[in-house]
Amino acid sequence: VTEAARRVLEATGVTFHWDVAYVGSQAQEMYGTPLPDHVLESIQKNKVALKGPVTTPVGSGFRSVNVALRQKLNLYASLRPCKTYPGVPSPYQNIDLIVVRENIEDLYSGIEFELGAPETLRLIELVEDARGERIRQDAGISLKIISQTCSARIVRFAFEYARRNHRKKVTAVHKANILKFSDGVFLATARTIARDYPDIEFEDMIVDNLSMQLVKKPHQYDVLVTPNLYGDIISDLCAGLVGGLGMAPGANMGDDVAIFEPVHGSAPKYARQNKVNPIAMMLSGVMMLRHLGEVENADRLEKAIAKVIVEGKNLTYDMKPEAPRDQVVGTSEVADAVIEKLEKSNKS
């Protein structure tokens, strides 16, 4: 899928100088680590990266290469557009919403205490001494951390994105009715930041109610800003509204570095089989072009992808679930079809 995205990006006529690097299982075999230092140095130097799905090798010492990249490069904002395109199998039409997910804190901060470890037992004792509340000694513990600093940063990012892209509403997602001292910080901070943007409507919603409302009336939402865990779950729900993860592009962004990648994870068993859907990866490339200021070429590429989808001839098996095998194509054929549309637009 990464090669397919690279081919269509080059077909726009934009000149790229690629610095190809490997992370994950392949890097583990080549360099003895799934995240070599030279990869981080390259991203920091170039300020932008197009990243394919990555498998973190078991037993490598990394919980997740993706999480490590976000934390080491301070990519605090995950930007995940969810948009329907005519021709995509979906019960919904005309959906166009954005999930802005805080990327560093919450339960993904990685501060965990293993069941039975001495430090876990000390923490259990501390909680009982400080709060008078008992935690079972056979428990594993993860800390949910939500700070004013990171909450303000992600909420401001969401409002600035909304303003730049002529969006009308920002919805803060939380569970502050129960988690008063973590999600409560996120909600209170969001309400404070919202006062700086009187031109944009603001509301807040409890995450379970939002999940129901997204299924019933998804068109009432525009930009959703969320803590880390809820954003991970909600963005997959929203992907389901618009046809699945094969249609879900994304970006992880900091103040001066951005990595563009699809929302879906890796599927090693399908690697190099020319089978899986590259559209989410291509749409991540569209996002990258816009980030680089290549707005016209981004629009041309998105239109070319949309034309291929609506024609329905050159799509992978997940986009044509009822079609016989001889009526679906592979990854590279989808790219070929998009490139053909781009070449026609070049001539016109």
Side-chain angles (χ1 to χ4, degrees):
V1 295
T2 311
E3 183 60 24
R6 180 160 74 162
R7 287 176 57 214
V8 300
L9 284 165
E10 290 173 343
T12 63
V14 177
T15 301
F16 293 92
H17 300 281
W18 300 102
D19 182 6
V20 179
Y22 295 93
V23 296
S25 297
Q26 210 163 352
Q28 181 72 39
E29 294 174 7
M30 297 167 67
Y31 306 110
T33 173
L35 184 56
D37 289 341
H38 70 262
V39 176
L40 294 169
E41 291 165 2
S42 174
I43 297 172
Q44 288 168 329
K45 174 185 174 183
N46 291 301
K47 306 298 183 187
V48 63
L50 182 68
K51 175 185 159 294
V54 169
T55 299
T56 301
V58 176
S60 67
F62 276 81
R63 290 183 304 121
S64 164
V65 168
N66 291 328
V67 171
L69 278 168
R70 294 167 194 163
Q71 292 182 343
K72 289 178 181 294
L73 297 170
N74 199 26
L75 305 175
Y76 60 84
S78 173
L79 187 64
R80 294 182 170 181
C82 295
K83 180 178 179 179
T84 48
Y85 291 86
V88 176
S90 171
Y92 302 92
Q93 299 298 323
N94 303 314
I95 292 175
D96 184 7
L97 58 86
I98 306 290
V99 179
V100 178
R101 166 191 171 193
E102 200 283 321
N103 237 359
I104 304 296
E105 290 192 321
D106 201 357
L107 289 168
Y108 286 55
S109 62
I111 302 177
E112 296 192 287
F113 294 82
E114 185 180 2
L115 183 155
E119 58 271 22
T120 308
L121 298 177
R122 289 201 301 272
L123 179 61
I124 290 172
E125 291 175 2
L126 175 64
V127 171
E128 187 169 359
D129 289 343
R131 298 290 306 271
E133 298 178 11
R134 297 189 66 184
I135 298 173
R136 292 182 181 275
Q137 295 210 349
D138 60 349
I141 300 172
S142 298
L143 295 188
K144 179 181 176 77
I145 298 170
I146 301 222
S147 69
Q148 287 181 320
T149 299
C150 290
S151 297
R153 185 170 62 177
I154 196 63
V155 172
R156 197 170 293 282
F157 180 99
F159 273 101
E160 289 294 331
Y161 179 91
R163 183 175 278 174
R164 284 196 311 273
N165 292 277
H166 310 292
R167 298 277 178 165
K168 296 180 180 179
K169 182 169 73 170
V170 171
T171 302
V173 183
H174 62 91
K175 189 68 175 173
N177 57 322
I178 302 297
L179 301 170
K180 299 182 184 298
F181 302 130
S182 52
D183 285 29
V185 169
F186 181 83
L187 176 58
T189 304
R191 287 172 171 169
T192 299
I193 297 295
R195 297 182 195 130
D196 295 337
Y197 299 87
D199 52 316
I200 299 170
E201 182 184 351
F202 173 74
E203 66 176 3
D204 67 85
M205 289 203 70
I206 297 171
V207 63
D208 42 347
N209 184 27
L210 174 79
S211 299
M212 181 187 68
Q213 295 296 335
L214 279 170
V215 175
K216 289 182 66 178
K217 301 176 182 178
H219 301 94
Q220 64 185 308
Y221 300 106
D222 195 354
V223 176
L224 304 174
V225 60
T226 79
N228 205 335
L229 178 63
Y230 307 148
D232 195 6
I233 297 167
I234 290 296
S235 60
D236 274 27
L237 190 160
C238 291
L241 302 178
V242 300
L245 291 175
M247 294 298 302
N252 293 298
M253 310 181 79
D255 291 329
D256 59 354
V257 173
I259 296 179
F260 297 85
E261 61 179 332
V263 172
H264 64 71
S266 62
K269 66 179 181 179
Y270 294 128
R272 301 180 184 87
Q273 292 186 27
N274 194 41
K275 185 176 181 179
V276 298
N277 186 357
I279 290 178
M281 189 77 202
M282 293 178 180
L283 291 172
S284 299
V286 171
M287 294 177 69
M288 185 180 77
L289 286 174
R290 291 200 174 108
H291 177 73
L292 293 170
E294 293 284 350
V295 177
E296 182 178 344
N297 285 306
D299 291 343
R300 286 178 52 243
L301 178 53
E302 185 178 14
K303 287 176 183 177
I305 295 168
K307 286 179 181 177
V308 169
I309 294 171
V310 77
E311 282 183 358
K313 297 177 182 178
N314 295 286
L315 298 174
T316 50
Y317 67 95
D318 59 306
M319 300 284 284
K320 301 172 74 173
E322 305 299 327
R325 288 189 178 183
D326 60 355
Q327 293 183 22
V328 300
V329 302
T331 311
S332 61
E333 287 77 20
V334 178
D336 292 340
V338 172
I339 290 169
E340 182 180 346
K341 300 297 183 190
L342 282 168
E343 289 173 346
K344 287 182 179 178
S345 72
N346 289 339
K347 291 176 183 177
S348 63

